[in-house]
Amino acid sequence: MPKSFIARSAFILCLALIVAAAAFIGMKFFDQSPSNKQARALIGGPFNLVDHTGKDVSEKDFQGKYMLIYFGYTYCPDVCPTSLTLLSEAMDIVEAKDAALAKLITPVFITVDPERDTVSAIKDYVENFYPTMVGLTGTTEQVSAAAKAFRVFYQKAEVEDSNDYLMDHSSITYLIGPDSLYSKHYGHGTGPDEMATSMLEILSQ
Ligand code: NI
């Protein structure tokens, strides 16, 4: 086995552990503050970003609709594609059960890697997952502010090649209500059935 392959494998394994740890810490945070009221005050809020068509958007553009938000980056080798696939499968289930309710939910992908995730890069990316998925990017400051509002952790992993780096990031999917406030979150690896059932329940209330 070439040395670089072993190094890369070890690196990816480390990264997976970091993501798992971040997810665990994230869950602990939610466990300690189970009240929905508290979470509503702590998670989410105003943001200013640019969508995958190049338009400036804020949380106001989504008011009246639910947002199913996931933070990640298009170069992510596994965690993001897996999460976005699960999320899209959940949307398919909701759509099959109640197409009108599905129309009320906009799946949103927000990059944590604005340096590489340009408008056209996220446009190509979101098209792979769900037809109504919106991709959001912005300046480093805009992305940082949005991630902070959602308590999303991310950082560039240290790699020698400046163009070929990975990002460590938390992996939680957020359901934001039509009032732009936190409604529910789904931990990393939540299955599409569980997510769909929960969303159907919330949207039917
Ligand atoms: Ni990822």
Side-chain angles (χ1 to χ4, degrees):
M1 247 189 280
K3 227 176 184 170
S4 66
F5 176 78
I6 296 169
R8 195 163 173 86
S9 303
F11 178 74
I12 289 173
L13 181 67
C14 282
L15 199 76
L17 289 172
I18 290 167
V19 169
F24 180 72
I25 292 164
M27 288 302 98
K28 266 248 181 290
F29 166 75
F30 283 109
D31 285 348
Q32 281 162 5
S33 52
S35 113
N36 211 41
K37 205 176 157 192
Q38 266 178 306
R40 282 171 81 88
L42 290 169
I43 310 288
F47 60 79
N48 290 286
L49 294 162
V50 180
D51 77 5
H52 64 274
T53 68
K55 195 174 73 131
D56 288 339
V57 294
S58 76
E59 77 291 348
K60 294 192 180 79
D61 293 285
F62 298 90
Q63 271 168 6
K65 276 190 146 197
Y66 284 82
M67 300 171 83
L68 189 59
I69 301 182
Y70 187 81
F71 285 78
Y73 67 113
T74 69
Y75 284 76
C76 185
D78 44 23
V79 175
C80 293
T82 303
S83 300
L84 292 172
T85 300
L86 294 178
L87 180 163
S88 300
E89 284 170 3
M91 286 299 299
D92 285 338
I93 296 169
V94 173
E95 200 188 354
K97 293 204 168 149
D98 192 329
L101 282 191
K103 283 200 175 69
L104 294 174
I105 310 169
T106 306
V108 179
F109 169 76
I110 304 180
T111 186
V112 294
D113 184 19
E115 277 177 50
R116 289 182 299 186
D117 286 344
T118 59
V119 166
S120 68
I122 52 164
K123 181 177 188 289
D124 292 344
Y125 193 66
V126 292
E127 279 170 0
N128 293 320
F129 295 102
Y130 196 76
T132 61
M133 188 178 285
V134 171
L136 300 179
T137 184
T139 64
T140 311
E141 293 75 21
Q142 286 175 322
V143 166
S144 161
K148 207 169 169 189
F150 284 86
R151 309 210 154 214
V152 166
F153 155 85
Y154 70 98
Q155 70 179 22
K156 199 184 275 189
E158 279 182 43
V159 263
E160 281 167 37
D161 184 345
S162 62
N163 285 316
D164 183 23
Y165 55 87
L166 295 172
M167 302 288 294
D168 302 332
H169 65 94
S170 43
S171 180
I172 298 173
T173 302
Y174 298 98
L175 184 67
I176 300 299
D179 50 7
S180 306
L181 295 174
Y182 168 93
S183 175
K184 182 94 183 160
H185 74 273
Y186 306 101
H188 178 69
T190 301
D193 285 308
E194 190 185 335
M195 203 184 288
T197 303
S198 163
M199 290 195 292
L200 281 163
E201 205 179 288
I202 290 168
L203 271 80
S204 307
Q205 278 168 3

